[in-house]
Coordinates of all heavy atoms in Angstrom, one line a residue:
T1 N 73.2 253.7 260.2 CA 72.0 253.0 259.8 C 71.7 251.7 260.6 O 70.6 251.2 260.6 CB 72.0 252.6 258.3 OG1 73.2 251.8 258.0 CG2 72.1 253.9 257.5
T2 N 72.8 251.1 261.1 CA 72.7 249.8 261.8 C 72.8 250.0 263.4 O 71.9 249.7 264.1 CB 73.7 248.8 261.3 OG1 73.5 248.7 259.9 CG2 73.5 247.5 262.0
I3 N 74.0 250.5 263.8 CA 74.2 250.6 265.2 C 73.3 251.6 265.9 O 72.6 251.3 266.9 CB 75.7 251.0 265.5 CG1 76.7 249.9 264.9 CG2 75.9 251.1 267.0 CD1 76.6 248.6 265.5
M4 N 73.3 252.8 265.4 CA 72.5 253.9 266.0 C 71.0 253.7 265.8 O 70.2 253.9 266.8 CB 72.9 255.2 265.4 CG 74.4 255.6 265.8 SD 74.9 257.1 265.0 CE 73.8 258.3 265.8
A5 N 70.6 253.4 264.6 CA 69.1 253.4 264.3 C 68.4 252.1 264.6 O 67.3 252.0 265.0 CB 68.9 253.7 262.9
G6 N 69.2 251.0 264.5 CA 68.5 249.7 264.7 C 69.0 248.8 265.8 O 68.3 248.4 266.7
F7 N 70.3 248.5 265.7 CA 70.9 247.4 266.6 C 70.9 247.8 268.1 O 70.4 247.1 268.9 CB 72.3 247.0 266.1 CG 73.0 246.2 267.1 CD1 72.7 244.8 267.3 CD2 74.1 246.7 267.8 CE1 73.4 244.1 268.2 CE2 74.8 245.9 268.7 CZ 74.4 244.6 268.9
F8 N 71.6 248.9 268.4 CA 71.9 249.2 269.8 C 70.6 249.4 270.7 O 70.6 248.9 271.8 CB 72.8 250.4 270.0 CG 73.3 250.5 271.4 CD1 74.3 249.7 271.9 CD2 72.7 251.5 272.2 CE1 74.7 249.8 273.2 CE2 73.1 251.6 273.5 CZ 74.1 250.8 274.0
P9 N 69.6 250.2 270.2 CA 68.4 250.3 271.1 C 67.8 249.0 271.5 O 67.4 248.8 272.7 CB 67.5 251.1 270.2 CG 68.3 251.9 269.3 CD 69.5 251.0 269.0
V10 N 67.8 248.0 270.6 CA 67.3 246.7 270.9 C 68.2 245.9 271.8 O 67.8 245.3 272.8 CB 67.0 245.9 269.6 CG1 66.5 244.5 269.9 CG2 66.0 246.6 268.7
F11 N 69.5 246.0 271.5 CA 70.6 245.4 272.2 C 70.6 245.9 273.7 O 70.7 245.1 274.6 CB 71.9 245.6 271.6 CG 73.1 244.9 272.3 CD1 73.1 243.6 272.4 CD2 74.1 245.7 272.7 CE1 74.2 243.0 273.1 CE2 75.2 245.2 273.4 CZ 75.3 243.8 273.6
Y12 N 70.5 247.2 273.8 CA 70.5 247.8 275.2 C 69.3 247.4 276.0 O 69.4 247.1 277.2 CB 70.6 249.3 275.0 CG 70.4 250.0 276.4 CD1 71.4 249.9 277.4 CD2 69.3 250.8 276.6 CE1 71.2 250.5 278.6 CE2 69.2 251.5 277.8 CZ 70.1 251.3 278.8 OH 70.0 252.0 280.0
G13 N 68.1 247.3 275.3 CA 66.9 246.8 276.0 C 67.1 245.4 276.5 O 66.6 245.1 277.6
T14 N 67.8 244.5 275.8 CA 68.1 243.2 276.2 C 69.0 243.2 277.4 O 68.9 242.4 278.3 CB 68.7 242.3 275.1 OG1 67.8 242.3 274.0 CG2 68.9 240.9 275.5
L15 N 70.0 244.0 277.4 CA 71.0 244.1 278.4 C 70.4 244.6 279.8 O 70.8 244.1 280.8 CB 72.2 245.0 278.1 CG 73.1 244.7 276.9 CD1 74.1 245.8 276.7 CD2 73.8 243.4 277.2
S16 N 69.5 245.5 279.7 CA 69.0 246.1 280.9 C 67.6 245.7 281.4 O 67.2 246.0 282.5 CB 68.9 247.7 280.7 OG 68.0 248.0 279.6
K17 N 66.9 244.9 280.6 CA 65.5 244.6 281.0 C 65.4 243.9 282.3 O 64.4 244.1 283.0 CB 64.9 243.7 279.9 CG 65.4 242.3 279.7 CD 64.7 241.6 278.6 CE 65.2 240.1 278.5 NZ 64.5 239.4 277.5
D18 N 66.3 243.1 282.8 CA 66.2 242.3 284.0 C 66.9 243.0 285.2 O 67.0 242.5 286.3 CB 66.7 240.9 283.9 CG 65.9 240.1 282.9 OD1 64.6 240.3 282.9 OD2 66.4 239.2 282.3
H19 N 67.5 244.2 284.9 CA 68.3 244.9 285.9 C 67.9 246.3 286.1 O 68.3 246.9 287.2 CB 69.8 244.8 285.4 CG 70.3 243.5 285.2 ND1 70.9 242.7 286.2 CD2 70.4 242.7 284.1 CE1 71.2 241.5 285.7 NE2 70.9 241.5 284.4
L20 N 67.2 246.9 285.2 CA 66.8 248.3 285.4 C 65.3 248.4 285.0 O 64.8 247.6 284.2 CB 67.5 249.2 284.5 CG 69.0 249.4 284.7 CD1 69.6 250.3 283.6 CD2 69.3 250.1 286.1
S21 N 64.6 249.3 285.7 CA 63.2 249.6 285.3 C 63.2 250.2 284.0 O 64.2 250.8 283.5 CB 62.5 250.4 286.4 OG 63.1 251.7 286.4
K22 N 62.1 250.3 283.3 CA 62.0 250.9 282.0 C 62.4 252.4 282.1 O 63.1 252.9 281.2 CB 60.6 250.8 281.4 CG 60.4 251.3 280.0 CD 59.0 251.0 279.5 CE 58.9 251.4 278.0 NZ 57.5 251.1 277.5
A23 N 61.9 253.1 283.2 CA 62.2 254.5 283.3 C 63.7 254.7 283.5 O 64.3 255.6 283.0 CB 61.5 255.0 284.5
D24 N 64.4 253.9 284.4 CA 65.8 254.0 284.7 C 66.6 253.7 283.4 O 67.6 254.3 283.1 CB 66.2 253.1 285.8 CG 65.8 253.6 287.1 OD1 65.4 254.8 287.2 OD2 65.7 252.8 288.1
S25 N 66.2 252.7 282.7 CA 66.8 252.3 281.4 C 66.9 253.4 280.5 O 67.9 253.8 279.9 CB 66.2 251.0 280.8 OG 66.8 250.7 279.6
Q26 N 65.7 254.1 280.3 CA 65.6 255.2 279.4 C 66.4 256.4 279.9 O 67.1 257.1 279.1 CB 64.1 255.6 279.2 CG 63.9 256.7 278.1 CD 64.3 256.2 276.7 OE1 63.9 255.2 276.3 NE2 65.1 257.0 276.0
F27 N 66.4 256.6 281.2 CA 67.2 257.7 281.8 C 68.7 257.6 281.5 O 69.3 258.5 281.0 CB 67.0 257.7 283.3 CG 67.9 258.7 284.0 CD1 67.6 260.0 284.0 CD2 69.0 258.2 284.7 CE1 68.5 260.9 284.6 CE2 69.9 259.1 285.4 CZ 69.6 260.5 285.3
W28 N 69.3 256.4 281.7 CA 70.7 256.2 281.5 C 71.0 256.3 280.0 O 72.1 256.7 279.6 CB 71.2 254.9 282.2 CG 71.2 255.0 283.6 CD1 70.5 254.4 284.6 CD2 72.1 255.9 284.4 NE1 70.8 254.8 285.8 CE2 71.8 255.7 285.8 CE3 73.1 256.8 284.1 CZ2 72.5 256.4 286.8 CZ3 73.8 257.5 285.1 CH2 73.5 257.3 286.4
F29 N 70.1 255.8 279.2 CA 70.3 255.9 277.7 C 70.4 257.4 277.3 O 71.3 257.8 276.5 CB 69.2 255.2 277.0 CG 69.4 255.1 275.5 CD1 70.4 254.3 274.9 CD2 68.6 255.9 274.7 CE1 70.5 254.3 273.5 CE2 68.8 255.8 273.3 CZ 69.7 255.0 272.7
N30 N 69.5 258.2 277.8 CA 69.5 259.6 277.5 C 70.7 260.3 278.1 O 71.2 261.2 277.4 CB 68.2 260.3 278.1 CG 66.9 259.8 277.4 OD1 67.0 259.3 276.3 ND2 65.8 260.0 278.0
V31 N 71.2 259.9 279.3 CA 72.4 260.5 279.8 C 73.6 260.2 278.9 O 74.4 261.1 278.7 CB 72.6 259.9 281.2 CG1 74.0 260.3 281.7 CG2 71.6 260.5 282.2
T32 N 73.6 259.0 278.4 CA 74.7 258.6 277.5 C 74.7 259.5 276.2 O 75.7 260.0 275.8 CB 74.7 257.1 277.1 OG1 74.7 256.4 278.3 CG2 75.8 256.8 276.2
L33 N 73.5 259.6 275.7 CA 73.4 260.5 274.5 C 73.8 261.9 274.7 O 74.4 262.6 273.9 CB 71.9 260.4 273.9 CG 71.5 259.0 273.4 CD1 70.0 259.1 272.9 CD2 72.4 258.6 272.2
L34 N 73.3 262.4 275.9 CA 73.6 263.8 276.3 C 75.2 264.0 276.4 O 75.7 264.9 275.9 CB 72.9 264.1 277.6 CG 73.3 265.5 278.2 CD1 72.9 266.6 277.2 CD2 72.6 265.7 279.5
A35 N 75.8 263.0 277.1 CA 77.2 263.1 277.3 C 78.0 263.1 276.0 O 78.9 263.9 275.8 CB 77.7 262.0 278.2
A36 N 77.6 262.2 275.1 CA 78.2 262.1 273.8 C 78.0 263.4 273.0 O 78.9 263.9 272.4 CB 77.7 260.9 273.0
S37 N 76.8 263.9 273.1 CA 76.5 265.1 272.3 C 77.3 266.3 272.9 O 77.7 267.2 272.1 CB 75.0 265.4 272.5 OG 74.2 264.4 271.9
L38 N 77.5 266.4 274.2 CA 78.2 267.5 274.8 C 79.7 267.4 274.3 O 80.3 268.4 274.0 CB 78.1 267.4 276.3 CG 76.8 267.9 276.9 CD1 76.8 267.7 278.4 CD2 76.5 269.3 276.6
V39 N 80.2 266.2 274.4 CA 81.6 266.0 273.9 C 81.8 266.5 272.5 O 82.7 267.2 272.1 CB 82.1 264.6 274.1 CG1 83.5 264.3 273.4 CG2 82.1 264.2 275.6

């Protein structure tokens, strides 16, 4: 309810906003979710 649904998406946006484009940021986030889901 906190890490997955609320905190991390916002936190990750803060971490990557000055270093990745919006498209790249979403791409790597999706890759992480895919990798975790596969495991």
